[in-house]
Amino acid sequence: MNISHQTVDDVNANIKVELAPEDYNPSVDKAIKEQAKKAKLPGFRPGMVPPGHIRRTYGKSILFDEINKLVNDKISEYISENKLEVLGQPLPIEDDADAKYNWDFNDTFAFTYEIGIAPEFETPFSKATEFTTYDIKADDATLAERVKNLRRSYGKMTNPEVSEEGDVLYATLKQIKEEGIEKTTSVRTDIIEDAKTKKALTGLKQDDTVKIDIKKAFKVADLARILGITEDEAENLDVTKFELTVKNINRLEEADLNQEFFDKLFPAGDVTKEEEFEAKVKEEVEGLFKQNADQKLRNDMYTYGMEKVDVKFPEAFLKKWLKATNPNISDEELEEGFGDFLSNLKWTIIENRVVTANNLEVKYDEVINLAKERIYAQIKMYNMNDEPTDEQLGQYALQLLQDREQANRLFEEAKALKVFDYLKENVTLKPQEISYVDFEKLEKDSK
């Protein structure tokens, strides 16, 4: 067997495989014998079908399958042994060469595959590379809003006689035209964008009716949900004036700051005073801000790396490979998503180079721990007072990792975190304290 590769250019190459009968016949003979043992054919006892009969009947099909497996295995070994950083998978070069083969177990086969090669470059991160890391502080307004949301989450519903801003009106909405839309539904006044409409919906009592411009009051998505129509229909309403008739007024009263409330949020007895509650809220909020700051740093590193690494890819090959592996994708869809595909590929290669150059390793325990963190966060999202044991989290994590897609996603996430942690230690970070309001402005300006 001969296998070699020829460079086409910096990012394209061909791999050629030549197989003589002595290379493939041993595996073909073995496959035929195994098939003979398993075959159930009329006129033969189970397991007693002569190999010669299998060769005559199914020989060419078995030969084709075995050669295909042998070629794929040898190409994979060759790529690994020669440390070729291949993009996608090798693709056979289509020609008329196979027409000369008799497939009679005596042919010498020659197959050529094209491969895409990852471009060469140096990773652009070093101690000379500087990034700002933000220490985000919670301002009083942010903390007050978080406290308000927590108290509302555990508050009680009341039905006042007169509406105020923030109430939910159970009301009938009737389009002002013949045979127009009529819908009885819940209308949240806190999501209304138009100040005039907000004012019009305060001070109302049961059975009061007001006229509003519903298009000014709500975003399209909210309007579609309220009226029970599609977003396209909401966007193209011919008449946007509606009569709103109040059926009932619902108000969520905030929970009192007492021990019962504290014990719903935290393990019983952990918080007994309002000052302790506020400290816990601040700790929680600034913990979330730490995640925001880390994400900002990761985004900055990504942007820097993508700008500094200027390389070309085997685009024609990659498009051909994507079409081969996604036969239902149209040319338009391929072109539309190809830019994002190249960006993701470029960053993946940058990450992989950091991993390889620095002998970084993602261990199984790290993937398990990451899965446990994600599951814990999901549980706490729905019940802050629920504290699953480590054993329970471990069982949930193992169940999650049985799904191959989820396991691959968590592995890639663990690898990204490993690279991020490495880069943080090997670039220069300049800490800067910033308020949450200013950080939000910074984020908005960077988009």
Side-chain angles (χ1 to χ4, degrees):
M1 177 186 298
N2 291 320
I3 182 167
S4 60
H5 84 280
Q6 300 82 38
T7 298
V8 176
D9 56 37
D10 290 344
V11 291
N12 290 279
N14 292 332
I15 291 181
K16 187 173 184 179
V17 184
E18 294 181 352
L19 295 175
E22 59 268 23
D23 297 319
Y24 59 80
N25 273 329
S27 61
V28 173
D29 291 341
K30 181 180 178 182
I32 287 174
K33 289 176 182 177
E34 290 176 351
Q35 183 70 19
K37 291 177 183 178
K38 299 174 184 177
K40 295 180 180 180
L41 298 177
F44 298 98
R45 284 185 293 167
M48 300 299 291
V49 179
H53 183 76
I54 296 295
R55 180 182 287 268
R56 287 191 298 274
T57 308
Y58 305 109
K60 287 190 176 182
S61 174
I62 293 172
L63 174 62
F64 180 84
D65 289 343
E66 289 303 312
I67 284 180
N68 191 46
K69 286 193 289 186
L70 187 61
V71 169
N72 286 335
D73 289 345
K74 292 304 177 183
I75 288 178
S76 295
E77 289 176 13
Y78 183 84
I79 288 171
S80 178
E81 290 170 359
N82 289 272
K83 296 181 171 57
L84 299 177
E85 194 174 358
V86 173
L87 303 178
Q89 297 165 322
L91 294 177
I93 294 178
E94 303 291 343
D95 54 29
D96 295 328
D98 60 343
K100 67 187 179 185
Y101 300 130
N102 297 315
W103 297 92
D104 60 358
F105 309 94
N106 293 309
D107 288 312
T108 295
F109 294 98
F111 304 106
T112 304
Y113 289 74
E114 57 183 322
I115 57 174
I117 304 293
E120 291 295 329
F121 61 85
E122 295 292 329
T123 55
F125 301 100
S126 69
K127 276 295 181 184
T129 317
E130 293 184 356
F131 295 95
T132 301
T133 179
Y134 295 97
D135 181 15
I136 309 171
K137 297 301 181 184
D139 56 87
D140 291 342
T142 302
L143 291 174
E145 184 65 23
R146 178 57 179 159
V147 168
K148 180 180 179 181
N149 288 338
L150 287 172
R151 293 178 69 179
R152 286 173 66 88
S153 296
Y154 291 90
K156 61 180 180 180
M157 191 67 72
T158 61
N159 302 110
E161 291 186 3
V162 182
S163 66
E164 294 179 359
E165 186 174 328
D167 288 344
V168 178
L169 303 180
Y170 187 65
T172 297
L173 287 165
K174 185 176 181 181
Q175 195 175 22
I176 303 177
K177 75 169 194 174
E178 288 187 14
E179 298 183 359
I181 297 169
E182 185 171 342
K183 179 79 171 178
T184 300
T185 185
S186 294
V187 177
R188 286 175 50 190
T189 61
D190 63 323
I191 64 172
I192 293 175
E193 298 186 317
D194 181 54
K196 185 177 179 180
T197 306
K198 273 183 181 287
K199 186 176 180 181
L201 296 183
T202 59
L204 298 179
K205 297 179 180 179
Q206 190 175 20
D207 296 327
D208 283 353
T209 296
V210 293
K211 293 180 181 180
I212 63 171
D213 188 329
I214 204 163
K215 195 72 174 289
K216 291 180 179 178
F218 300 103
K219 293 179 180 177
V220 171
D222 293 326
L223 180 55
R225 176 180 51 78
I226 291 167
L227 295 179
I229 59 179
T230 67
E231 290 192 18
D232 282 343
E233 289 171 333
E235 179 70 44
N236 296 297
L237 283 174
D238 56 345
V239 175
T240 61
K241 293 291 181 66
F242 278 69
E243 280 186 350
L244 182 148
T245 303
V246 179
K247 299 293 184 182
N248 197 18
I249 301 168
N250 299 310
R251 181 176 302 159
L252 187 60
E253 301 283 357
E254 294 180 6
D256 293 330
L257 293 174
N258 54 26
Q259 195 61 48
E260 181 185 0
F261 172 63
F262 298 151
D263 288 346
K264 287 178 180 178
L265 291 172
F266 309 104
D270 271 17
V271 173
T272 59
K273 301 176 183 177
E274 188 173 337
E275 295 79 7
E276 293 173 345
F277 166 68
E278 291 173 350
K280 281 279 191 182
V281 171
K282 183 175 182 181
E283 180 184 342
E284 175 215 3
V285 169
E286 292 192 342
L288 293 173
F289 290 171
K290 175 69 167 61
Q291 296 176 26
N292 293 345
D294 277 350
Q295 188 58 55
K296 167 69 173 165
L297 180 57
R298 287 180 68 173
N299 292 344
D300 290 346
M301 287 180 171
Y302 171 85
T303 300
Y304 177 84
M306 294 293 282
E307 288 176 351
K308 289 295 181 181
V309 174
D310 184 17
V311 292
K312 69 173 184 176
F313 287 93
E315 294 190 16
F317 168 81
L318 289 171
K319 288 179 181 179
K320 188 184 297 185
W321 172 69
L322 288 170
K323 287 283 284 185
T325 52
N326 301 276
N328 293 326
I329 193 172
S330 68
D331 291 340
E332 293 77 12
E333 290 171 326
L334 179 61
E335 290 298 331
E336 184 179 345
F338 193 65
D340 288 339
F341 169 79
L342 284 185
S343 293
N344 291 333
L345 178 61
K346 184 176 176 180
W347 182 250
T348 298
I349 295 173
I350 292 173
E351 282 190 325
N352 289 342
R353 295 279 169 86
V354 173
V355 168
T356 303
N358 300 285
N359 297 314
L360 304 183
E361 181 184 359
V362 178
K363 298 178 181 177
Y364 181 72
D365 286 350
E366 293 171 332
V367 179
I368 285 283
N369 289 334
L370 181 61
K372 288 160 69 173
E373 286 178 20
R374 296 294 176 263
I375 293 166
Y376 180 81
Q378 192 171 21
I379 291 172
K380 297 297 283 185
M381 184 186 300
Y382 293 103
N383 188 349
M384 290 183 66
N385 209 23
D386 194 0
E387 281 295 328
T389 65
D390 190 65
E391 183 180 356
Q392 289 173 322
L393 290 172
Q395 291 173 350
Y396 296 148
L398 289 174
Q399 291 173 9
L400 185 65
L401 292 173
Q402 288 176 1
D403 184 321
R404 178 175 293 182
E405 186 175 333
Q406 294 282 4
N408 289 339
R409 180 185 60 78
L410 283 165
F411 175 83
E412 289 300 320
E413 189 176 348
K415 183 182 76 171
L417 289 171
K418 176 84 68 172
V419 170
F420 179 54
D421 287 341
Y422 173 83
L423 292 178
K424 283 195 295 185
E425 295 295 324
N426 290 275
V427 298
T428 298
L429 298 179
K430 291 189 170 183
Q432 178 181 326
E433 191 172 298
I434 190 171
S435 71
Y436 180 63
V437 173
D438 288 340
F439 181 79
E440 278 193 312
K441 291 178 182 175
L442 188 69
E443 283 280 77
K444 189 179 293 185
D445 292 342
S446 66
K447 291 179 180 178

